[in-house]
């Protein structure tokens, strides 16, 4: 029997709160403290001390793994390397283009601190990345696709909220069912962004705001909406709260491969999530178990899920996992 | 640039032939020899020497990995440990209940020979096992299901062929679409074997054979058919050859999990294969790459895919894999 894995949570937003809710589903883990940039007294009671982030150093040696629950845009690039010098860490850093640079920064920091960091351990990047890797390894001649949704994109919702006259907004990313059906049928089309996903915005506009202008500004927003077919629906602020307060998400990784002469082999992994942050938290927690075990084996520096033997993720001992799951 | 991985194939049935056809899709691999229990002169030309299995010892040092392509029932339990003393090996041993014992036998043999063996690296066990492990790790509170088909079960086809008066037969395993739909919808029912799969047999009967008896004997066969709803269709021998000579297969691993209060999270991995042996061969080959690399890192003894860091499976170097697939 391994001793309990002592965890800290750094950042108490959607993901941090979800880690608190999910930790109890892992009997080999115990939460020791929550670290926050806010006034610790303002946090709701989680049953463990709330600690000012600046005091984290005082917890060295008290935690086996720190779960980094800050945002990828602004928090993790700074907090990650700082904390990796003090603790072994796990995070779900998700700015795809910046993962190599972040991995490098975390590797240096963790090595310097004698710690182990596992980065980008959510569902994409994370579980979906694993699916892309396995399916490409096992079907080397082929083409892979990733679809996201139907689900709430926080980044796109924030972008809509930034439009003048918008009081609140929720954006759903919706995968093209017809594109997915073609691929499932063995086709390997080249698809534009517009052909893969559509975007649906529920917008609560301020009283008297120019709705035509709001709709135009959303649809023409570069990077976020311009390359997509976007629908804007104006709703009341209360309808937004009543019907769109959840954070569902999902998606699919599909690969179509060819073997032999012209045999078609398709593989698809899909998830459908009522709660995006709670699933991400679940992945983080299993990855914390793997980080704890890898560290115990002597590993230092930074890793991704690509480097983690799957057996390290599951509570069972390796032979029990073979018996029950192989 | 790694040097080419030198492979041998042991056993030239469906799987061995598929390994020959798929090896070219992996530019870092080269086939050196095919080993057979038959008269080597009877094998079709594969471009490499055909060698009597009994002469395998003469190839020690000439191969990096031997792909064991014999059957799980009778061949691998004997050949596996014998060859693991001479070579690093990869196989797709698929008798689920006997995997722990086989792993133990292979571990002892490989350790004795200073080799590395990776066992049960097909799609089930293998890729599906990985999916069961990942989804259970990431959704610890939940229930998992595996469905097989629609596809040809060789074991069941052989069983039907063993019935007196049957000249030839092909058995399809068919998953229950309604059961899968319930689970995809978030239900977690307890399902009997009968509720999960049905069985469909195409049978070419000998002239004058008693078809009613054949149908009854099939349907009442213990282990294979008794616990399932089975349909028997009599067809001509030529129709069997024309329409049922392929080896398609497929299946799904589904897990329904709960997070938070009562949020439902579902994950599903499905494959649809035109050629079961060619896909299994593809998995074997990628696993041979991982075995080669793990051996180079000093690993000895026996492993399963649960022990293999995913990055070892793919040709790209680890950083390229992160850039392209994470």
């Amino acid at each position: 029997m391994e001793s309990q894995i002592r965890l800290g949570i750094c950042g108490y937003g959607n993901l941090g709160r979800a880690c608190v809710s999910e930790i109890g589903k892992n009997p080999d883990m115990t939460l020791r403290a929550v670290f926050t940039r806010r006034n610790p007294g303002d946090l709701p009671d989680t049953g463990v001390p709330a600690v000012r982030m600046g005091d984290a150093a005082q917890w060295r040696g008290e935690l086996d793994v720190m779960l980094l629950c800050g945002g990828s845009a602004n928090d993790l690039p700074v907090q990650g390397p700082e904390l990796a010098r003090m603790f072994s860490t796990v995070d779900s850093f998700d700015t795809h283009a910046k993962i190599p640079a972040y991995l490098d920064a975390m590797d240096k920091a963790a090595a310097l601190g004698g710690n182990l960091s596992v980065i980008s351990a959510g569902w994409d990047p994370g579980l979906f990345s694993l699916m892309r890797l396995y399916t490409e390894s096992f079907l080397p001649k082929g083409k892979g696709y990733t679809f996201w949704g139907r689900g709430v994109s926080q980044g796109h919702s924030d972008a809509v909220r930034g439009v003048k006259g918008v009081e609140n907004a929720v954006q759903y990313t919706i995968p093209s069912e017809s594109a997915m059906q073609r691929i499932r049928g063995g086709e390997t089309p080249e698809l534009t962004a517009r052909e893969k996903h559509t975007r649906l915005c529920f917008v609560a506009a301020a009283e008297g705001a120019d709705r035509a202008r709001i709709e135009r500004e959303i649809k023409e927003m570069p990077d976020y909406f311009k390359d997509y077919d976007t629908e804007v629906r104006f709703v009341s602020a209360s309808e937004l709260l009543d019907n769109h307060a959840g954070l569902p998400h999902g998606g699919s990784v599909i690969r179509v491969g060819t073997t032999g002469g012209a045999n078609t082999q398709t593989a698809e992994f899909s998830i459908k999530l009522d709660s995006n942050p709670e699933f991400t938290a679940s992945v983080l927690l299993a990855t914390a178990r793997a980080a704890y075990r890898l560290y115990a084996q002597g590993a230092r520096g930074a890793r991704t899920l690509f480097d983690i033997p799957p057996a390290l993720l599951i509570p069972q001992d390796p032979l029990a996992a073979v018996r029950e799951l192989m």
Side-chain angles (χ1 to χ4, degrees), chain A residues 161-181:
Chain A
R161 286 187 204 111
V163 172
K164 196 184 147 198
V166 172
E167 281 200 334
N168 196 2
V170 172
Q171 193 264 195
Y172 292 90
T173 304
I174 301 169
S176 163
E177 199 54 47
S178 64
M180 287 201 287
Q181 286 303 347

Side-chain angles (χ1 to χ4, degrees), chain A residues 62-80:
Chain A
E62 300 296 315
L63 306 175
D64 295 308
V65 183
M66 180 76 95
L67 308 173
L68 307 183
C69 297
S72 295
N74 303 310
D75 300 333
L76 293 179
V78 179
Q79 289 171 12

